[in-house]
Amino acid sequence: MSLTAPAPTRPVPSVAATKQRWSSRRLAAVLPVISIVGALVVWDLVVRVGLFSPSLLPSPAAVAEAARQMLEQGTLLADAAASFRRAVSGFLLGSTIAIIVAAFTGRSHIARGLLEPLIQVLRPIPAIALVPLAILWFGIGEESKLFLTTLGVFFPVWVNAHAGIASTREDYLRVAACVGASRRQVFGSVVLPSAMPFILTGLRQGIAMSLILIVASEQAGVTEGLGFRLDQARLFSQPDRLFVCLAALGVIGALTDQVFHRLTRRYVRWSTEQA
């Protein structure tokens, strides 16, 4: 006689539950389209009734035509690629440094006492205000852009990573100590997974910050990039091209955020299941 317990069977979802799930998915897919189309319709109506001068607020059709021209000229894709490349470089460097520093300040009282006061003093200073200092130190080349973006990304990532690492539950740490785990094993298997939702939140904020700062830094000393093109559109009174650059920044930021979220959400699924 076999003593093996029968394998548990998963409940079969009902037809009503399946239909409700599909309905929710369709609604989630349609709502963003309705939002964007509605915003474009309102924008077009505002321009048509003359609430704003076309020199201040061009119509969606004028912006679309400007985008077509910039695509044909090859400037839009080249500028977007240049800005994205600079933003990614600063994001990777800034977030890496932030997580390393947070690992020390979150787990070591000595490191926290030494580093946290300095970080808290520097954190309220807007990174954009450091543009003159960056140019003075590094010139108007790529180094100043990397410095500003790295510095701006560092603070939101550090704040979240430090909070997550410092708030690791003590009972988890005690269990790990009881089974004889080393400090490295405790950090890699207990502290880091526990802090991962905080770290990923900080990284998403760092993505947005990198795009903000790269646009500000590109308005001096470069000949390509969305920040440079924005400044050129302002100088030559080309609001349609200005709106094209703004739209490109929005699309890049939204797509990057969504791709990052979809690639990393499995790492925090356990925390939502326990909530």
Side-chain angles (χ1 to χ4, degrees), residues 41-55:
V41 170
V42 173
W43 177 7
D44 188 63
L45 289 175
V46 167
V47 175
R48 288 179 182 275
V49 299
L51 292 179
F52 291 92
S53 169
S55 61

Side-chain angles (χ1 to χ4, degrees), residues 1-87:
M1 179 177 179
S2 175
L3 299 178
T4 304
T9 58
R10 294 183 178 180
V12 179
S14 63
V15 176
T18 303
K19 289 182 177 180
Q20 184 178 6
R21 186 181 301 112
W22 277 106
S23 177
S24 299
R25 290 179 179 178
R26 285 196 297 267
L27 184 62
V30 169
L31 286 178
V33 177
I34 295 176
S35 175
I36 294 174
V37 172
L40 290 174
V41 170
V42 173
W43 177 7
D44 188 63
L45 289 175
V46 167
V47 175
R48 288 179 182 275
V49 299
L51 292 179
F52 291 92
S53 169
S55 61
L56 299 177
L57 182 65
S59 66
V63 174
E65 176 61 21
R68 184 190 64 80
Q69 294 176 2
M70 294 174 71
L71 284 171
E72 290 181 352
Q73 295 167 358
T75 57
L76 182 58
L77 292 180
D79 290 333
S83 295
F84 184 73
R85 182 183 68 250
R86 295 183 182 118

Side-chain angles (χ1 to χ4, degrees), residues 29-268:
V30 169
L31 286 178
V33 177
I34 295 176
S35 175
I36 294 174
V37 172
L40 290 174
V41 170
V42 173
W43 177 7
D44 188 63
L45 289 175
V46 167
V47 175
R48 288 179 182 275
V49 299
L51 292 179
F52 291 92
S53 169
S55 61
L56 299 177
L57 182 65
S59 66
V63 174
E65 176 61 21
R68 184 190 64 80
Q69 294 176 2
M70 294 174 71
L71 284 171
E72 290 181 352
Q73 295 167 358
T75 57
L76 182 58
L77 292 180
D79 290 333
S83 295
F84 184 73
R85 182 183 68 250
R86 295 183 182 118
V88 168
S89 299
F91 168 76
L92 292 176
L93 183 58
S95 58
T96 300
I97 296 174
I99 293 173
I100 293 174
V101 173
F104 287 99
T105 59
R107 300 307 306 160
S108 170
H109 293 291
I110 296 176
R112 183 182 304 180
L114 289 173
L115 298 176
E116 187 173 8
L118 179 61
I119 294 173
Q120 295 295 0
V121 169
L122 295 176
R123 189 165 65 91
I125 301 176
I128 296 177
L130 298 176
V131 171
L133 181 63
I135 294 175
L136 179 65
W137 282 358
F138 302 101
I140 59 176
E142 296 296 326
E143 292 82 3
S144 61
K145 280 80 178 160
L146 181 61
F147 169 75
L148 284 171
T149 311
T150 300
L151 188 64
V153 169
F154 171 86
F155 292 110
V157 177
W158 174 84
V159 167
N160 286 274
H162 170 80
I165 292 173
S167 63
T168 304
R169 291 177 54 175
E170 288 297 329
D171 52 345
Y172 293 169
L173 299 176
R174 285 195 294 268
V175 169
C178 289
V179 299
S182 65
R183 295 182 65 179
R184 181 178 298 180
Q185 290 173 328
V186 169
F187 184 82
S189 301
V190 178
V191 176
L192 196 59
S194 175
M196 191 59 67
F198 294 84
I199 294 174
L200 295 180
T201 299
L203 290 174
R204 292 182 73 178
Q205 294 176 3
I207 291 173
M209 184 60 67
S210 67
L211 291 173
I212 293 172
L213 293 173
I214 208 63
V215 169
S217 64
E218 281 180 344
Q219 296 186 10
V222 296
T223 57
E224 63 175 354
L226 293 174
F228 165 76
R229 204 62 60 184
L230 276 168
D231 197 47
Q232 291 292 301
R234 177 187 63 82
L235 289 174
F236 294 102
S237 299
Q238 297 173 319
D240 49 355
R241 297 201 166 206
L242 190 149
F243 272 82
V244 171
C245 295
L246 293 177
L249 284 168
V251 170
I252 291 173
L255 288 178
T256 305
D257 180 78
Q258 285 301 308
V259 169
F260 179 83
H261 175 62
R262 291 180 183 277
L263 290 176
T264 58
R265 62 183 175 180
R266 61 178 179 175
Y267 296 110
V268 295

